[in-house]
Amino acid sequence: MATQISKADFRDAMARVCAPVNIVTTDGPAGRGGFTATAMCSVSDEPPTLLVCMNGRSTQAAMFLANRRFCVNVLTHDHMHLAGKFAGATRDMEARYSGARWQTLASGTPALSDAIVNFDCEIEDVHTVGTHNVMIGRVIDVRHGSGGSALLYVDRNYTQPTRLGSFGG
């Protein structure tokens, strides 16, 4: 039988995992919202699908579920200030959005104009796992943006990738 680890031990271990930083946005009948997320990954390329995890206790959780759409905006290192705002440092949604240029995608979601890439998604399914909603999004459009260095999060800090040299040599 497996031993159960503590919440603190799990969180400390996960802090050691490096992840790209994203701002996930929505807009629709329930309102405009957005949050910072590192829990995003590809699910399938047939059909193009990805997942994003959002705390189910967030005041925005119902908004995302009601709008049934979201956009994943993959951030560059230059977006560190936005990551903090959308992570909750700024409560006012208009103030969060005022720090950058946005465009509206086909689904109606706000897309960060100079993101590395934007994934426009319709929510296909939602699973509640523990404290979080795992939102499965069918990707309906992709917009390729800037070529800046990705913003990463590891050891509870923002960072950017470093060149490791060439492989196979």
Side-chain angles (χ1 to χ4, degrees):
M1 180 167 183
T3 305
Q4 186 161 351
I5 64 168
S6 72
K7 176 181 173 180
D9 284 344
F10 179 71
R11 290 179 71 137
D12 287 344
M14 288 304 298
R16 304 294 309 265
V17 177
C18 184
V21 182
N22 311 282
I23 292 175
V24 183
T25 58
T26 192
D27 202 354
R32 182 168 73 160
F35 67 97
T36 300
T38 56
M40 184 281 287
C41 68
S42 167
V43 174
S44 174
D45 63 358
E46 277 189 38
T49 310
L50 58 77
L51 69 79
V52 174
C53 297
M54 178 184 198
N55 192 322
R57 291 179 271 191
S58 167
T59 57
Q60 297 183 66
M63 175 192 309
F64 273 80
L65 298 179
N67 285 342
R68 303 291 303 165
R69 57 188 174 218
F70 61 84
C71 179
V72 175
N73 302 277
V74 181
L75 303 185
T76 70
H77 194 263
D78 294 336
H79 296 125
M80 190 182 313
H81 69 288
L82 287 176
K85 283 183 177 185
F86 279 85
T90 302
R91 291 273 184 228
D92 180 67
M93 199 56 64
E94 292 307 314
R96 288 184 187 187
Y97 277 93
S98 70
R101 290 179 308 124
W102 302 88
Q103 61 188 65
T104 303
L105 298 180
S107 71
T109 60
L112 183 60
S113 296
D114 59 347
I116 292 173
V117 65
N118 312 97
F119 296 95
D120 196 14
C121 302
E122 293 178 348
I123 294 178
E124 190 166 281
D125 203 359
V126 178
H127 299 274
T128 301
V129 180
T131 58
H132 280 65
N133 291 331
V134 180
M135 299 185 294
I136 309 296
R138 171 82 58 97
V139 180
I140 59 171
D141 196 14
V142 173
R143 194 187 70 74
H144 298 275
S146 74
S149 292
L151 180 61
L152 304 175
Y153 194 73
V154 65
D155 285 333
R156 296 183 173 94
N157 289 299
Y158 295 114
T159 189
Q160 63 185 351
T162 57
R163 290 238 183 259
L164 299 174
S166 61
F167 293 98

